[in-house]
Amino acid sequence: MSDNKPLSSSGLYRQHLGRKRLFVWVSLVLVLALLLFGMTVGALNLSLSEVWAALFDGQNDAHRHIVLNLRLPRLLAAIAAGGALGLAGAVMQIVLRNPLGSPFTLGISNAAAFGAALAYMLLGTPAFHFIKNSWLGLQNSVVAASAFVWAALGALFIIFISRKKGATPENMILSGIIINTFFMALTSILQFLADDVQLGSIVFWTFGDLTKSTWNTLAIQALIILPVLLYFLKNGLRFNALDAGDQVAGSLGISVHRFRLYSILLTSLLTACIVSFYGIIAFVGLIIPHVVRILMGNDARFLMPASAALGALFLLVCDLVSRSLFSPLVIPVGIITSILGAPLFVILLIKGSQRWSR
């Protein structure tokens, strides 16, 4: 006689949650595995034993410098940037209840890009000459601060226009298109006015590149990303309510406009802390939440951490491609994400559009 019994509804629910947790943990394990593999790949290929010796023995100074000062910060930057952009995209899509919501499509990335380009221009003027001649960390801080300020202003403008029109997701997307076009035009003006050195810096920066990653920049990003991640995870149920509609969220005691405002500002902070250091890295925040939603559904409690983990995994893959495709030449990772992301997004739109039907 078989002992197998049909699972109760609570048992099926726990099994369903278990599969989602497993997906998140598997993604994190793959991120760790790709991190280890990435330390072996480059202009000088190393074995895992040589990487281990460089990390813990330190007998070979050249290997230690390559692993600790070049490859590991870059790989950790890919994890931080991919995770932050994936998380920001997931939150924006939930808050706006629109599959096109992301830092890139809403113009927040381009607002941050304009802020960074403006900082590069100002650092070349006599008034800011003392900063330009100071240590590199201060210059990077000025660029990062300018990027965040303009990203926040762009986000506030989106919310201001949307609230005047009723704060509907459609109005926010339209406001984002306005912001995107406006800041792209402003950045083009700065490029037109820049000298050769400034123009080269601005154009190369807009490619999206991880080579500027250092342990100091990673520490700054960790101080921003981790608290924001914890805040979003803590409010998973609120995001589920918001995804069900403003009336549902309001009936549960949620201040919809305030919660939406905080969420957009925090995603702007996440975007700015990535764009200000590495430039524009497109499509991560747009396609990764789509993939996770197709695989796992709309539950924000799992959608957000899974989007962060899969975003980190995706950008790690793109970084490995950028370093391996024309080695020893390294292609900016933002170019790779656009090349891989555009056709993938078309496929997702074709196969997954019905999942977004209301």
Side-chain angles (χ1 to χ4, degrees):
M1 183 177 179
S2 175
D3 292 332
N4 294 331
K5 297 180 181 180
L7 292 174
S8 63
S9 58
S10 60
L12 289 173
Y13 179 70
R14 286 195 297 270
Q15 190 179 69
H16 180 65
L17 294 183
R19 286 196 296 267
K20 293 185 177 183
R21 292 190 183 97
L22 179 63
F23 180 88
V24 176
W25 283 110
V26 169
S27 299
L28 292 174
V29 170
L30 290 176
V31 167
L32 179 60
L34 208 57
L35 172 65
L36 295 175
F37 176 72
M39 287 188 283
T40 68
V41 177
L44 175 63
N45 292 325
L46 302 174
S47 65
L48 285 175
S49 60
E50 289 174 326
V51 169
W52 180 268
L55 289 173
F56 300 104
D57 293 343
Q59 296 179 356
N60 191 319
D61 292 336
H63 287 180
R64 184 175 179 83
H65 174 72
I66 291 172
V67 173
L68 284 180
N69 297 328
L70 299 178
R71 293 183 185 175
L72 187 55
R74 183 187 180 96
L75 291 167
L76 292 176
I79 293 173
L85 294 175
L87 176 63
V91 171
M92 284 189 172
Q93 290 178 14
I94 295 171
V95 168
L96 303 179
R97 288 184 287 120
N98 193 307
L100 296 179
S102 76
F104 184 75
T105 55
L106 287 182
I108 295 176
S109 292
N110 279 310
F114 167 75
L118 181 63
Y120 279 119
M121 292 287 291
L122 292 177
L123 288 174
T125 61
F128 293 88
H129 197 65
F130 70 98
I131 296 180
K132 186 176 181 180
N133 292 333
S134 64
W135 61 296
L136 185 60
L138 182 57
Q139 298 180 43
N140 290 337
S141 299
V142 171
V143 173
S146 179
F148 170 68
V149 168
W150 286 98
L153 288 175
L156 288 173
F157 179 78
I158 293 172
I159 296 172
F160 173 77
I161 294 296
S162 299
R163 292 191 68 175
K164 290 295 182 181
K165 294 294 183 179
T168 64
E170 292 79 10
N171 286 331
M172 280 194 169
I173 292 294
L174 291 175
S175 302
I177 294 174
I178 296 171
I179 290 294
N180 214 344
T181 305
F182 178 71
F183 280 108
M184 285 178 64
L186 291 182
T187 304
S188 297
I189 292 175
L190 292 181
Q191 291 176 349
F192 180 78
L193 297 175
D195 57 33
D196 292 340
V197 176
Q198 294 170 336
L199 180 62
S201 299
I202 294 173
V203 171
F204 183 78
W205 182 87
T206 57
F207 287 157
D209 188 66
L210 300 175
T211 55
K212 292 183 178 180
S213 58
T214 65
W215 291 108
N216 289 333
T217 59
L218 289 171
I220 294 172
Q221 289 167 347
L223 291 175
I224 296 173
I225 294 173
L226 292 178
V228 175
L229 173 62
L230 292 175
Y231 173 82
F232 285 151
L233 294 180
K234 181 181 178 181
N235 288 280
L237 292 176
R238 288 190 174 190
F239 283 112
N240 281 339
L242 195 63
D243 191 44
D246 290 0
Q247 291 183 346
V248 174
S251 66
L252 295 174
I254 299 173
S255 178
V256 174
H257 293 301
R258 182 179 300 175
F259 187 60
R260 181 172 284 141
L261 172 65
Y262 290 162
S263 299
I264 293 294
L265 286 177
L266 288 176
T267 53
S268 300
L269 179 60
L270 284 178
T271 303
C273 85
I274 299 302
V275 174
S276 59
F277 289 110
Y278 308 132
I280 297 177
I281 301 176
F283 281 104
V284 178
L286 186 61
I287 64 174
I288 294 302
H290 274 275
V291 174
V292 175
R293 188 172 285 105
I294 290 173
L295 295 174
M296 296 180 56
N298 296 329
D299 192 338
R301 294 173 299 172
F302 300 98
L303 175 63
M304 291 186 294
S307 295
L310 207 62
L313 186 63
F314 176 72
L315 200 56
L316 276 174
V317 171
C318 292
D319 178 64
L320 288 175
V321 172
S322 71
R323 289 192 286 130
S324 305
L325 196 59
F326 297 105
S327 181
L329 181 64
V330 179
I331 302 174
V333 72
I335 297 175
I336 303 299
T337 60
S338 296
I339 292 174
L340 297 180
L344 181 57
F345 184 61
V346 172
I347 296 172
L348 292 174
L349 283 179
I350 294 173
K351 292 187 175 182
S353 58
Q354 292 182 351
R355 295 176 180 268
W356 275 94
S357 60
R358 289 289 185 235

